[in-house]
Amino acid sequence: MSGVASTLAQKRARAAGFGTNANANKYLNQDFEALRSECLNQGRLFCDPEFPAEPHVLGFNELGPNSSKTRGVQWKRPKDLCSNPQFIIGGATRTDICQGALGDCWLLAAIASLTLNEDVMARVVPRGQEFGGGYAGIFHFQFWQFGEWVDVVIDDRLPVRDGKLLFVHSADNNEFWSALLEKAYAKVNGSYEALSGGSTTEGFEDFTGGIAESYELKTAPANMFQIIQKALNSGGLLGCSIDITSAADSEAITRQKLVKGHAYSLTGAIEVNSRGGLEKLVRMRNPWGQVEWTGAWSDGSSEWNSVSPSERPNANAEDGEFWMAFSEFMRQYSRIEIVTLTPDAVTSDSVKPWSVNNYSGTWRKGSTAGGCRNNPYTFWMNPQFVIKLNEEDDDPSDNETGCSLVVGLIQKNRRRLRKQGEDMHTIGYAIYEVPSQFQGQMNVHLDKNFFLTHAQKARSETFINLREVSTRFCLPAGEYLVVPSTYEPNKDGDFCLRVFSEKQAETQRCDDPVDVVLDNETVSDAEVDAGFRGLFTKLAGSDMEISALELRSILNKIIAKRTDIKTDGFSLDTCRTLVNLMDDSGNGKLGLCEFATLWKKIQKYLDIYKKNDMDNSGNISTPELRTALKLAGFSLNDTIFQMLVARYSSPDLTVDFDDFVACLMRLELMFRMFKKIDAHSSGFIELDMQMWLSLTMI
C-alpha cells in the first residue's frame, strides 16, 4: 500500500475506534486467535514469518550475524529447555526479570514496575496464555506505540546459548513470560539489538500509554517525596538512575553496591517511626535481581532495629530489592522519571486522571521540517497545534494559579532505523500565546511574519536527542500555539504530540484549509490580437492546432533565451498536463483561444515566480514555493504541500520554473475537476472505478 493510502487507512481506523487497548490494532495484520486456531487445527506449532528464528532478528552490529556475541546461539522453545514450562508462576513479580546479555536494563526496570499494577500488567500481558491446553507455540502482547495500541504476535522460539536463555529470564528456570515479552518488544523495534540503551520512560510509556516526566534530583522541587508518594498512590510508574562520568563508569558498582549508569525502579515510599522521629524511606529495585545497596536501611541493617515490627517491611531477601533513606536516595541518584497514566488505565475511583489529547505529524525535508527558532526563515513551516486551556487547577501549588499540563513530543520508530545507520533526532518545541485576532481559528497556518514579531511564551526544557521531550507547565487560561520541531531543519521524521492536562483542554491541528480561488482567464477570439494570431498560425502548422509535442518545442525555445530563470526544459509529461487543462474540445490539442489562455497563465505564473525569487538566483526555494502558491490562489495544508515538494523540488530543495508551472497547472487541473464533479459544492464527491481511473490517468 502506498504511503498516502496507508496514512488515510490509519486515520479511518482511529476514527472507528481501533487502536485502543481494548481494541488494539493487529501488528503486521497478524491475528492471534486466528493463527492459534489454524495451528491447533493443523497440529503444528506456530513459526512467525515476520520475526523468524534467524540471526538478523538478534541484531545488526554487536549482535549481527557474524558477531562473536551471537556465535553458538540456537533457537529453542521453552519445552526444549525444561520439562514443565510455565507462562507465569504465582503471578508476575519483580523478581521474574533478570538481565541477560543485552544492554536493556532500562526496559527491564520498566517491566519490573509494570508488575506492581495488576490492571496495567493485564493491558500488556493478555490473560489466558499458558503452555497447557490450547498451546500452539504462539503468544501475544500489547504495546502502546505512538498514539495507538498494537497487538503483537510471536512464536516462542527463544535465543539460547549453552542451554540458557541469552537475554532476559526469570529467576525461576521454568517461567517464561518476561522472555516472551522482551521478544515481542524486540519485534516492534526491529531486532533485539535495537533495544540496547535507552531511557526507562520509553518502556513505561509503551506499557501504559502514559506520559513521562524527568526530574534532575540536584534541582528537584522541595516536595519531591510527596510527588513520588502521589505518583505511586495513583498507580504511576517510577524509574531512576545514577549518572556516569566516563565510559569506564558504565555499570560500575560503588562501594555500597549501587550500579552507575543503570536503570532502577522505585517501587515504594513510606515514612516510619524511628528514634523518636519520622524517617522517609524509598524502596528500590535492581532489575539484575541481585546486587543491592549495603548502606543505611539496607536489608538486615541495624537501622531497622529502631522500627516497630508492625511497621517493618520484609527486607532481607537477596532479590535485587532494597530500602534506603530518601535523603540518601537524593544524594546517590541523579534523576527520577515518573509516568502519569491515561484515564483508561486508571481503575481506582480515588484517582482523578488527567485528560489527554494526542496528535500525529510529520517533518519532511523542504516542506514541514523547518528546524528550531534559530532558523527564522523556515521555522514557520513546521506543523502547528493549538491548545485551548479553559479551566484553572482546583488546588494551585505555591499560590501559582493557572492550568497545569504536560506537553510531550515523541519521535516515532527511530529504533527501527538504527539498522540503516539512523538514530534519534534532536527535538523540542516552542509555545506561543495566540493573539486575539487568531483565537478560535484552526484554519490558519501562521506565517514567517508572526514568528519574527512574537516571542515564545514557553518551550520544552531542552532540545535533546531522546525519543521524547516532555515538560510540565502552569499557564494562564487561554489559547496557545505549539510548534514541534527538530533542532536542525530538513530532518525527516514522524512524531506524536501529546498534551496531558489536569483539567479538560482542547488540542487541535492548526493548518491552512485546502481551497483555491481561480480567476476566469479565458481569452475569447475577439481578444486575440493580430500579432498573436499570426504567431499562432506560424507555430501551429497546417492543422492550426498545437499538440503536447509541439507545445514542448515552443516553450523550450522561448525559455532557452532567458537568463533570469533556471530550467532544464519543459517535459513532455508537463506539456500533456498543460494541454489537458486547457483542451475544451477533448481532441488532445490546443486551438487559438486555448493556446492564448495558456500563454496568459504562463505569463502570470512567471510574474509570481520572479516575485518570490528573493535572491535572484533564477529558482525558488521550497519555503518561497509555499508563499508563491498562496499568491497564485492556492490554499494548501501541510500534507498536500509535502507531496508537492516531494514531486516537484530538486535534491537541493529548489524549484525550477518548468517544475513550478507544472505544479500549478496540475493543481489547477485537479481543483477544477473536483469542483466540476462536486456540483453542489458539498466538499465530497463519489466516483465509480471508471471515473477514478479516468481522473488519475490524466
Side-chain angles (χ1 to χ4, degrees):
M1 185 183 291
S2 72
V4 174
S6 178
T7 300
L8 291 173
Q10 289 173 3
K11 286 183 178 179
R12 288 192 174 187
R14 281 195 291 270
F18 293 96
T20 62
N21 182 260
N23 194 11
N25 291 326
K26 295 172 177 57
Y27 187 67
L28 300 179
N29 294 316
Q30 290 179 297
D31 186 309
F32 170 73
E33 293 295 347
L35 290 169
R36 183 172 67 168
S37 295
E38 180 182 319
C39 290
L40 290 172
N41 290 336
Q42 296 177 0
R44 62 179 177 85
L45 296 180
F46 178 64
C47 293
D48 185 5
E50 301 291 350
F51 202 61
E54 296 175 2
H56 74 269
V57 308
L58 293 176
F60 45 87
N61 187 13
E62 290 188 9
L63 295 177
N66 299 316
S67 166
S68 60
K69 292 185 178 181
T70 59
R71 199 167 296 140
V73 170
Q74 298 177 296
W75 295 83
K76 293 181 180 282
R77 298 185 189 269
K79 287 197 170 188
D80 300 325
L81 297 172
C82 63
S83 59
N84 183 31
Q86 301 290 313
F87 187 65
I88 296 179
I89 298 175
T93 64
R94 298 179 301 282
T95 59
D96 296 347
I97 304 107
C98 301
Q99 191 170 356
L102 185 62
D104 61 349
C105 60
W106 61 274
L107 174 62
L108 276 53
I111 298 174
S113 291
L114 180 70
T115 64
L116 299 175
N117 188 315
E118 288 187 14
D119 294 325
V120 174
M121 177 79 178
R123 289 157 62 87
V124 178
V125 186
R127 294 186 172 99
Q129 303 190 81
E130 56 185 32
F131 288 90
Y135 168 73
I138 184 171
F139 293 86
H140 68 131
F141 299 87
Q142 295 192 170
F143 305 118
W144 181 87
Q145 289 286 282
F146 316 117
E148 65 181 22
W149 284 85
V150 293
D151 189 85
V152 183
V153 168
I154 56 164
D155 63 38
D156 63 349
R157 294 177 293 178
L158 296 168
V160 172
R161 185 162 54 197
D162 299 327
K164 295 181 179 180
L165 290 176
L166 188 62
F167 302 128
V168 72
H169 55 279
S170 172
D172 197 321
N173 289 332
N174 64 335
E175 184 177 47
F176 291 94
W177 74 269
S178 58
L180 294 168
L181 171 63
E182 183 189 44
K183 180 176 182 178
Y185 198 62
K187 180 176 178 178
V188 298
N189 284 283
S191 68
Y192 277 96
E193 187 173 358
L195 304 183
S196 182
S199 168
T200 308
T201 56
E202 283 192 52
F204 282 172
E205 292 188 341
D206 289 351
F207 296 154
T208 66
I211 196 165
E213 299 172 68
S214 182
Y215 293 91
E216 296 293 329
L217 294 179
K218 286 183 180 178
T219 57
N223 62 338
M224 192 74 242
F225 187 76
Q226 286 72 29
I227 291 174
I228 290 171
Q229 280 190 316
K230 282 187 175 183
L232 290 168
N233 291 338
S234 66
L237 303 180
L238 296 85
C240 44
S241 59
I242 303 171
D243 282 348
I244 60 174
T245 55
S246 68
D249 268 354
S250 182
E251 299 198 339
I253 301 174
T254 69
R255 183 173 56 85
Q256 291 178 306
K257 301 294 185 182
L258 293 180
V259 186
K260 293 184 177 182
H262 186 62
Y264 284 81
S265 307
L266 194 157
T267 61
I270 61 173
E271 290 184 280
V272 296
N273 288 291
S274 173
R275 297 185 177 92
L278 285 174
E279 182 74 43
K280 293 181 174 67
L281 303 176
V282 290
R283 183 176 61 200
M284 310 299 297
R285 160 75 185 157
N286 183 343
W288 285 350
Q290 54 188 351
V291 185
E292 298 182 9
W293 163 252
T294 59
W297 299 99
S298 60
D299 291 3
S301 68
S302 60
E303 286 79 11
W304 291 110
N305 297 332
S306 64
V307 178
S308 167
S310 62
E311 291 188 79
R312 198 181 302 168
N314 179 26
N316 289 310
E318 178 65 24
D319 54 6
E321 193 167 77
F322 55 88
W323 290 90
M324 65 191 306
F326 176 67
S327 57
E328 192 70 48
F329 164 78
M330 294 291 286
R331 280 194 294 271
Q332 297 284 350
Y333 284 83
S334 306
R335 114 182 11 87
I336 186 168
E337 295 155 330
I338 300 174
V339 176
T340 301
L341 300 181
T342 54
D344 63 322
V346 175
T347 57
S348 172
D349 294 335
S350 63
V351 175
K352 187 177 181 181
W354 285 25
S355 71
V356 183
N357 288 281
N358 178 57
Y359 279 88
S360 290
T362 58
W363 295 301
R364 289 294 178 266
K365 183 178 179 181
S367 56
T368 54
C372 70
R373 277 176 55 90
N374 294 348
N375 307 277
Y377 293 99
T378 57
F379 177 71
W380 66 278
M381 297 181 69
N382 287 300
Q384 301 173 10
F385 300 84
V386 167
I387 304 173
K388 292 183 180 180
L389 301 174
N390 301 318
E391 297 180 72
E392 293 183 341
D393 300 346
D394 291 330
D395 52 345
S397 59
D398 300 326
N399 298 318
E400 184 184 20
T401 59
C403 309
S404 292
L405 68 158
V406 178
V407 180
L409 173 65
I410 300 179
Q411 47 187 324
K412 296 183 179 182
N413 301 314
R414 301 304 298 181
R415 286 188 178 274
R416 295 187 65 87
L417 297 174
R418 285 183 177 179
K419 188 180 292 186
Q420 286 81 47
E422 297 277 348
D423 212 328
M424 299 293 179
H425 290 317
T426 300
I427 61 170
Y429 53 82
I431 299 178
Y432 296 81
E433 200 163 3
V434 176
S436 57
Q437 67 266 34
F438 293 115
Q439 288 184 9
Q441 298 183 40
M442 296 297 130
N443 59 344
V444 58
H445 185 103
L446 294 178
D447 63 15
K448 177 180 63 181
N449 293 328
F450 171 82
F451 296 104
L452 290 175
T453 56
H454 290 76
Q456 60 188 11
K457 178 77 173 180
R459 60 180 176 83
S460 53
E461 188 173 345
T462 182
F463 272 75
I464 195 168
N465 60 338
L466 293 177
R467 186 179 81 155
E468 181 177 40
V469 172
S470 67
T471 305
R472 180 183 289 255
F473 303 97
C474 187
L475 299 173
E479 289 189 25
Y480 298 90
L481 185 77
V482 182
V483 184
S485 72
T486 56
Y487 185 76
E488 297 177 344
N490 297 322
K491 297 289 185 182
D492 287 340
D494 301 322
F495 67 84
C496 176
L497 182 74
R498 296 187 296 161
V499 179
F500 278 58
S501 52
E502 185 169 322
K503 306 291 276 186
Q504 286 293 323
E506 300 174 50
T507 305
Q508 295 183 31
R509 182 73 179 262
C510 186
D511 208 350
D512 290 329
V514 178
D515 204 355
V516 68
V517 176
L518 295 174
D519 298 328
N520 183 7
E521 299 168 320
T522 303
V523 177
S524 67
D525 187 74
E527 293 176 286
V528 180
D529 62 36
F532 192 89
R533 200 179 292 270
L535 176 65
F536 177 80
T537 302
K538 183 179 179 182
L539 295 172
S542 59
D543 64 352
M544 290 299 290
E545 288 187 312
I546 294 177
S547 67
L549 195 62
E550 290 170 324
L551 180 62
R552 182 179 68 168
S553 177
I554 294 167
L555 293 178
N556 286 338
K557 283 180 181 178
I558 293 172
I559 62 173
K561 299 175 182 178
R562 299 191 66 120
T563 59
D564 58 338
I565 57 175
K566 288 185 178 178
T567 175
D568 51 7
F570 283 83
S571 68
L572 184 58
D573 185 55
T574 295
C575 291
R576 284 176 177 145
T577 299
L578 303 184
V579 171
N580 280 327
L581 176 62
M582 309 310 304
D583 176 23
D584 289 330
S585 63
N587 68 348
K589 294 183 178 182
L590 300 181
L592 172 62
C593 294
E594 293 166 337
F595 181 69
T597 302
L598 173 62
W599 189 249
K600 182 178 178 181
K601 283 183 180 293
I602 291 176
Q603 290 296 320
K604 171 188 170 183
Y605 291 156
L606 177 60
D607 289 342
I608 294 173
Y609 185 82
K610 292 287 293 176
K611 188 178 294 185
N612 283 276
D613 179 13
M614 299 300 182
D615 58 358
N616 296 314
S617 62
N619 54 28
I620 59 175
S621 65
T622 51
E624 291 168 342
L625 172 64
R626 189 154 190 171
T627 306
L629 288 167
K630 280 198 171 185
L631 281 175
F634 297 99
S635 175
L636 305 172
N637 62 20
D638 286 346
T639 302
I640 302 298
F641 187 64
Q642 284 178 0
M643 295 167 64
L644 295 181
V645 169
R647 178 164 182 170
Y648 293 105
S649 70
S650 302
D652 64 354
L653 301 179
T654 60
V655 180
D656 288 352
F657 180 64
D658 57 295
D659 289 319
F660 178 70
V661 172
C663 175
L664 268 62
M665 290 296 197
R666 184 78 175 177
L667 278 173
E668 183 174 341
L669 178 62
M670 300 310 292
F671 269 108
R672 288 194 184 280
M673 285 182 171
F674 186 96
K675 288 179 179 292
K676 190 171 184 177
I677 298 172
D678 181 20
H680 302 291
S681 300
S682 65
F684 296 89
I685 59 174
E686 187 172 318
L687 306 174
D688 60 25
M689 183 62 76
Q690 179 176 327
M691 293 171 68
W692 167 252
L693 290 174
S694 298
L695 288 176
T696 56
M697 292 300 288
I698 290 177

